[in-house]
Amino acid sequence: KTTPPAKKTAPAVAKKKATPAPKEEAAPKEEAAPKEEAAPDAAPATEGPPGPENPSEQPPAPTGEPAPIPTEAGTEATPVPAEGSPPPPAEPPAPSPEHKLEKPKEEPPSCPLSLAVEEVSENSFTLTWKAPEQMGRAGFDGYVVEICKDGSSDWKAVNQEPFLSTRYTISNLSSGDKIHVRVMAVSASTASIPATLEQPVLIREILQLPKIRMPRHLRETYIRRVGDAVNIMIPFQGKPQPEVSWTKGGQPLNTNRINIRNTARDTIFYIRQAQRGDSGKYELTVQINGAEDKATLDIQVVEPPGPPQNLKLVDVWGFNVALEWTPPADNGNSEIKGYRVQKSDKKSGKWFTVLERCTRTSCTISDLIIGNTYSFRVFSENICGLSDSAAIASGVAYIEKTKTTYQPEKIPQRDMMEPPKFTQPLTDRTTTRGYSTHLFCSVRGFPQPKIIWLKNQMEIREDPKYIALIDQGVCSLEIRKPGPFDGGVYTCKAVNPLGEASVDCRLDVK
C-alpha cells in the first residue's frame, strides 16, 4: 500500500523543483512511508490531484504533523518530518527560487528626535522636535501628533493629515489639564516608534511681567525726511497678553494720520507720509494688572533748509574778497551743518565751489584773477543736504589792474680798488725731458694786475718755447718740451697801480 503513493509523491515534488537533486527525491520517499503507516488519513493528501489543479482546497494536516507549505505557484513543498521519523539527510535542501521573488518588507521611519515643549499658555501649548535619522524606504509623508489626558489610555490624533513641519501648536485645551503627548513619523503604510514626553504637560498660564524690547536703532532720535513712510515695529513680552497704549505729550494719537496695530508680541507704528508736525516724543505703555513698562520713541521729520539771508559783499582788495551773511529763516527742522560758498567768473558764467561746509557766517575768498569780474552765492546745508536755492550777493567784485612803476634800488658805490695778492702760489715741480709742463697760480686785484713771468730773475719775453695765459685770475705758464737747460727758478709777478706781488717755484728737468 505504501509503495504506490510514494512513487506518485516523488515525481510530483521533483516536477515542481527548479533544480532537481537525487538526494532531495530520496528524502520524501523515506519520510512518506512512515507517515502513511502511522496515519493512513494522510493518504488523500498525497494521492489527490496535483497541486496546480486545485491549490486553494488543501486538506488540513493531521494532528502532530506539520501542514504542507504552499508556494507562490500553488504547489506544496516537501513536508517536514514528524516526531519519531528518521532524521533528514545531512545536506539540507536548496532553497527554492520562488522565495527569492518575495517583496522585501517595508522599513518604517525612525523615531523623531528631541521632542520638547516650547511654550505653554492657558489653553494651548507648542511642541518642537527634530526630523528622524531614517525616513524609511516607502517614502516619508509627515508627522502625526497624538494626545492623551493623564489617567486615561485613550490616545487621539490632533491632526487629520500628516504634516512636514517640526513645530506644532495644540489648542482648545482646558486650563489645569495634564496632557500626555507623542509624535510619530509616518510613511505610506507604516509608522515609526512614537517619541513621547516623559512628563505630562500642565495646561496653565505662565505669568510674565511686561517688558518692552526697544530696538537699538530706536533708542536714539529716529530721523525721516518729509514725505517718507514711518514703519516701526517694537516687540514686547508679557503674560497674559498685555494692554498696549500710545500717547504723544500725554494725549491720545491722531488716528487719521497714525496707524497702530498690536499683536500678542509686538506693536506696529505706521505713518504713510511723514510731515514735520509728526515730529516729537511718543510714549509707549505696556500694562498687565497694574504692572507696566514704558518706552519713549523720539521721531524727527526733517527737510532741506532755506537759503541764507542778507548775503553782502563787504570788501574787495588786491586779489581778495570778504563776504558776510546770516543764517536761514528755516533750518528744515534740523541743525545747520555749514554753508557752501561758490564763485562765478563773468567771462565763463560757470559756478565753482570755493568753500564747503563753512561753519561761520563770513569768509574771505583769495587768489582771484586780476581783471576779472566775480559774482558770489551761498547755500545752507543740514542733514538732508543743501538748500533748494542759494543766496546771491547783490554786487560784483572787479579785480582791478594796479599800475606800478619800477624804481631800482639805489646801491651805494663800493671802493673795489685793491693791490695784487696771490691767493694760490706756485709749487715746485719735477718734469721729464721732452714732455710739456704747466705752472699755475692765482692772483686777485683791482684794477686787473699785469702778469710778468721770470726765469732765474730774467723776464721771459716773446719766446715760442713759453706760452703765458691769465683767465679769471688764474695764471698759467706752459713750457713746451723742456730740456735740461730749462730747469731753474720761475717767478710770477703781478703789478697794478696800487702795488705788486710775486711768487716763485723751482722746476727740475730729468
Side-chain angles (χ1 to χ4, degrees):
K1 294 181 181 179
T2 59
T3 306
K7 291 179 180 179
K8 292 180 181 179
T9 306
V13 177
K15 188 176 182 181
K16 305 304 176 186
K17 299 287 185 176
T19 55
K23 292 182 180 180
E24 293 180 0
E25 292 178 1
K29 290 180 183 181
E30 296 176 1
E31 296 171 3
K35 287 181 183 177
E36 291 171 0
E37 290 177 0
D41 296 337
T46 58
E47 293 180 358
E53 296 178 3
N54 192 9
S56 61
E57 298 178 2
Q58 292 290 345
T63 306
E65 294 185 2
I69 302 173
T71 64
E72 292 182 2
T75 58
E76 296 179 4
T78 306
V80 180
E83 295 180 2
S85 62
E91 183 177 353
S96 61
E98 288 81 356
H99 290 289
K100 296 181 180 179
L101 300 177
E102 291 182 359
K103 295 181 180 179
K105 294 183 179 180
E106 297 181 356
E107 295 183 1
S110 60
C111 178
L113 305 174
S114 304
L115 178 61
V117 178
E118 183 183 72
E119 185 179 3
V120 180
S121 67
E122 60 181 348
N123 56 8
S124 65
F125 66 94
T126 302
L127 298 171
T128 60
W129 61 89
K130 294 182 180 179
E133 295 181 354
Q134 303 294 333
M135 294 299 184
R137 295 183 178 179
F140 180 67
D141 289 347
Y143 303 97
V144 174
V145 181
E146 294 182 346
I147 61 173
C148 174
K149 288 187 178 182
D150 190 29
S152 173
S153 60
D154 185 14
W155 289 93
K156 295 181 180 179
V158 294
N159 55 310
Q160 300 294 333
E161 298 291 337
F163 59 91
L164 297 177
S165 175
T166 58
R167 186 178 184 273
Y168 190 79
T169 300
I170 303 172
S171 56
N172 299 326
L173 301 176
S174 300
S175 179
D177 288 348
K178 292 184 178 181
I179 303 297
H180 293 271
V181 64
R182 63 187 184 185
V183 179
M184 293 178 292
V186 297
S187 61
S189 59
T190 60
S192 69
I193 299 173
T196 308
L197 291 175
E198 295 181 0
Q199 300 294 332
V201 180
L202 176 60
I203 307 303
R204 63 182 178 88
E205 185 175 10
I206 301 176
L207 294 177
Q208 187 178 29
L209 293 176
K211 177 66 175 178
I212 300 174
R213 308 184 68 85
M214 182 69 74
R216 186 183 299 274
H217 69 282
L218 297 179
R219 297 174 188 174
E220 300 177 356
T221 302
Y222 184 72
I223 300 176
R224 303 297 291 172
R225 296 190 62 166
V226 172
D228 290 350
V230 178
N231 191 4
I232 298 172
M233 183 183 72
I234 301 176
F236 57 81
Q237 61 188 23
K239 289 186 179 181
Q241 181 174 349
E243 297 180 0
V244 180
S245 62
W246 283 88
T247 58
K248 181 182 179 182
Q251 301 297 324
L253 302 185
N254 181 6
T255 56
N256 294 330
R257 291 199 43 77
I258 303 173
N259 297 319
I260 301 295
R261 186 174 66 86
N262 300 322
T263 65
R265 296 184 177 181
D266 54 49
T267 178
I268 297 176
F269 181 99
Y270 178 73
I271 303 176
R272 184 178 298 275
Q273 289 184 341
Q275 297 179 2
R276 289 176 60 171
D278 297 325
S279 301
K281 294 185 178 182
Y282 296 80
E283 296 83 20
L284 170 62
T285 303
V286 178
Q287 185 175 12
I288 302 176
N289 298 331
E292 66 179 13
D293 189 21
K294 292 185 177 182
T296 301
L297 174 63
D298 189 4
I299 297 179
Q300 184 178 357
V301 183
V302 299
E303 61 183 344
Q309 295 181 320
N310 304 322
L311 178 60
K312 296 179 181 179
L313 186 62
V314 178
D315 193 8
V316 180
W317 74 99
F319 314 119
N320 309 302
V321 170
L323 299 175
E324 285 184 359
W325 62 89
T326 57
D330 181 12
N331 62 358
N333 199 28
S334 177
E335 180 185 359
I336 298 296
K337 298 291 184 180
Y339 301 92
R340 180 173 295 184
V341 182
Q342 294 183 340
K343 68 178 180 179
S344 174
D345 184 3
K346 186 177 180 180
K347 293 181 180 179
S348 65
K350 295 181 180 180
W351 290 98
F352 297 93
T353 299
V354 181
L355 297 173
E356 287 191 21
R357 288 206 173 182
C358 175
T359 56
R360 297 175 297 176
T361 56
S362 62
C363 69
T364 300
I365 302 174
S366 304
D367 299 330
L368 300 178
I369 299 175
I370 294 178
N372 288 355
T373 302
Y374 291 93
S375 299
F376 301 93
R377 67 181 183 182
V378 180
F379 291 88
S380 54
E381 183 177 4
N382 66 0
I383 192 172
C384 288
L386 298 177
S387 57
D388 296 332
S389 59
I392 301 178
S394 57
V396 295
Y398 175 69
I399 310 302
E400 296 181 356
K401 295 181 178 178
T402 56
K403 296 182 179 180
T404 57
T405 302
Y406 176 71
Q407 296 180 353
E409 183 180 359
K410 295 182 178 180
I411 301 175
Q413 294 294 329
R414 180 182 176 185
D415 186 8
M416 302 295 294
M417 305 298 286
E418 183 183 5
K421 180 180 179 181
F422 282 92
T423 58
Q424 182 67 34
L426 294 172
T427 58
D428 295 341
R429 297 202 56 180
T430 301
T431 185
T432 304
R433 177 180 179 180
Y435 290 88
S436 297
T437 301
H438 291 79
L439 301 178
F440 294 97
C441 62
S442 298
V443 68
R444 184 178 67 189
F446 190 84
Q448 183 176 351
K450 178 181 178 182
I451 303 301
I452 301 172
W453 286 93
L454 299 95
K455 175 187 176 184
N456 296 329
Q457 303 300 322
M458 297 292 293
E459 182 179 354
I460 300 174
R461 296 186 180 273
E462 297 179 357
D463 189 343
K465 192 176 186 66
Y466 301 96
I467 300 176
L469 298 175
I470 180 171
D471 184 18
Q472 301 293 328
V474 178
C475 305
S476 64
L477 177 67
E478 180 182 358
I479 304 171
R480 304 177 65 185
K481 297 181 179 180
F485 298 101
D486 293 323
V489 177
Y490 287 83
T491 302
C492 180
K493 182 184 291 186
V495 181
N496 73 357
L498 299 179
E500 63 178 36
S502 64
V503 291
D504 53 24
C505 68
R506 183 171 186 81
L507 176 65
D508 293 330
V509 180
K510 295 183 179 180

